[in-house]
Amino acid sequence: MKVPTMLLAAAAFALLPATTATAAPAAPAAPAAGASTIVAKYTFDSAASTVNDASGRGLPLKMRAADGGAVRYVTKGSGRALAFPVRCVQNAAKCPRVLLEGGDDADLDPGTKPFTYGVTLAATAAAVGSESNILQKGVADAQGQWKLQIGGKKKLPSCVIAGAGKGAKRYIAKSSAGVLDNKWHTISCQRTATQLIIWVDGQNRGSVAVPSTVGISNNLPLRVGAQNLNAKQTAFGGAIDDVVVSVG
């Protein structure tokens, strides 16, 4: 399929050649979750300005750009993955960036139900800077939130959930394993009845206790690749594939 010109990044933004992102050892994307239902799945195999949901349930992701930001598609196995523009330097006058955004999908509001969300990604430390938001629905101190991010002094992935209301406690499961070696890694965040667990390449890499009463339901869109277009320094500059959300 011919890739639309609008989706081709300039050579200056070339971060992740297909030949440099090598596959991680085969491992399950997440733990066995029983009778869960996939409510959204984005594979990025079709190079287009709108990313349709492969599960048949979720809403499409649309690309929002600023300062001339553009994505590009890289080969991954027999399919494709999506690479974001390289992160701009702090206080850059021009900062090309792209955010993928869906609509307010009620299927992505799990309430107090068990659910899992995750992504396969490849990145370097430069691609995340001090912090990058990979997946997010909702914001803290509002209607509740679930999020996957990479950051902190050790630049490790972590899963975050928070209930509704200003000052609501945030529960953060931090991974003990890093992923910024420019190889493909699958990261999943699993909320059970009592815990939030972060899985990296099929291995439990950290958890935190979460009360069963913490519910997440908001009217905000799913965002992939950044918190929003204004928050330049949360933009992710690596590549992603297989964004999956399941409930149950």
Side-chain angles (χ1 to χ4, degrees), residues 78-160:
S78 60
R80 288 172 169 155
L82 181 144
F84 288 95
V86 173
R87 276 177 61 105
C88 56
V89 297
Q90 188 78 28
N91 300 320
K94 187 175 182 180
C95 183
R97 54 201 187 277
V98 174
L99 168 71
L100 306 184
E101 185 175 88
D104 174 27
D105 187 347
D107 278 345
L108 303 183
D109 295 329
T112 59
K113 298 178 184 176
F115 72 104
T116 302
Y117 58 96
V119 66
T120 299
L121 59 78
T124 63
V128 303
S130 60
E131 179 185 0
S132 283
N133 285 18
I134 312 301
L135 304 176
Q136 177 173 332
K137 189 175 191 296
V139 295
D141 293 332
Q143 299 169 306
Q145 171 190 67
W146 55 259
K147 179 168 71 168
L148 168 60
Q149 62 189 10
I150 300 177
K153 291 182 179 180
K154 296 183 179 180
K155 298 189 177 183
L156 297 172
S158 60
C159 303
V160 183

